[in-house]
Amino acid sequence: MSSGLPAITVGLATDVGRVRQHNEDAALTSGTVYVVADGMGGHAAGEVASRIAAETVVELAARPVVHVGDVVAQVEEANRRILASAARHPEQTGMGTTVAGLALVSVGGSRHWAVFNIGDSRVYRCLDGQLSQVTVDHSEVWELVERGLITPEQAQRHPGRNVVTRSLGRDPMGVVDTWVFPPYPGEVFVICSDGLSNELAREEMEAVLADHPDAEEAAAELVRRGVAAGGRDNVTAIVVAVQGQDADSDVDEDTTPRENVNGSSGESRS
């Protein structure tokens, strides 16, 4: 892999919100690996699942070189650990978690970003002031959006918006989606739980990034606004800002699996 890391600043913020009793989100950053997990399951088991997922994925940061396949394998390892924990502790039966994140990987010997997700936590990318959603939600309502039956705005208030079609804590867990592209000077990523994306429209998130170039301030403001807008769920955001570097390559690689192996079977995130 070519030498020299991009100059990166990172901000992380989380809040239990106005309704929940516990924060079942977990967010961790280590080296150039960043992950948000949103747990589900009663008796605080969601906290266990999200913590296992986040801690397992950031273990990638200890490796000198990471490939896209390593990221997918580590998410699969997180699923095995969650299932093993539930097997040892019956009170954790049924716990699960989403996971979404960003990692610097090697593709063809050059540095690329790998975005990954399973579930409905999201990764956004802001280029030249324009924020776009990279990940695709694995949820029943997003399937309705993709079929043109409801709008993204309607999806935010749909009664079934908390039903995910893929998650960790299942066997099989489903496909991990990945997107790969080279670093770009000035780009910003937002990794968040649905407690943020359900409260704030993309345009408002974009405005926050424009007004707060500091990654820590941006993450804190996103979460503050998410709570102020309703805070009906735990609200978590990681902001990763690339301060400026020459991209190693201008060739994009999209490795997204297009099929939804779990069909429309849903799991309610209560």
Side-chain angles (χ1 to χ4, degrees), residues 77-107:
E77 172 63 19
N79 190 54
R80 285 190 289 269
R81 293 182 189 180
I82 290 168
L83 291 171
S85 181
R88 291 192 302 270
H89 305 282
E91 70 276 10
Q92 296 174 359
T93 299
M95 71 175 176
T97 186
T98 69
V99 65
L102 178 71
L104 202 64
V105 300
S106 176
V107 177

Side-chain angles (χ1 to χ4, degrees), residues 156-269:
Q156 286 186 291
R157 297 293 175 258
H158 193 282
R161 66 185 180 276
N162 290 329
V163 181
V164 296
T165 53
R166 299 186 211 175
S167 67
L168 304 192
R170 297 177 175 185
D171 185 17
M173 70 174 189
V175 175
V176 182
D177 284 354
T178 59
W179 294 258
V180 179
F181 32 74
Y184 187 85
E187 68 186 340
V188 180
F189 293 90
V190 176
I191 309 162
C192 66
S193 62
D194 70 329
L196 180 67
S197 58
N198 282 341
E199 299 292 359
L200 298 188
R202 179 188 57 80
E203 292 80 6
E204 184 170 1
M205 297 171 66
E206 183 178 278
V208 169
L209 296 180
D211 292 341
H212 300 274
D214 179 84
E216 289 186 9
E217 292 180 2
E221 180 64 11
L222 285 169
V223 169
R224 187 195 69 78
R225 291 199 188 193
V227 174
R232 283 159 284 199
D233 199 350
N234 310 141
V235 185
T236 300
I238 297 175
V239 175
V240 181
V242 180
Q243 298 305 297
Q245 79 136 31
D246 293 325
D248 290 332
S249 168
D250 58 3
V251 178
D252 287 5
E253 177 182 343
D254 186 346
T255 61
T256 309
R258 294 302 178 189
E259 71 278 8
N260 186 332
V261 297
N262 285 334
S264 60
S265 60
E267 177 171 340
S268 180
R269 312 248 327 278

Side-chain angles (χ1 to χ4, degrees), residues 144-158:
L144 296 176
V145 171
E146 291 189 315
R147 290 163 59 190
L149 299 177
I150 63 174
T151 67
E153 292 72 26
Q154 290 171 326
Q156 286 186 291
R157 297 293 175 258
H158 193 282

Side-chain angles (χ1 to χ4, degrees), residues 66-82:
V66 177
H67 298 96
V68 178
D70 299 327
V71 176
V72 173
Q74 201 67 12
V75 175
E76 292 170 344
E77 172 63 19
N79 190 54
R80 285 190 289 269
R81 293 182 189 180
I82 290 168

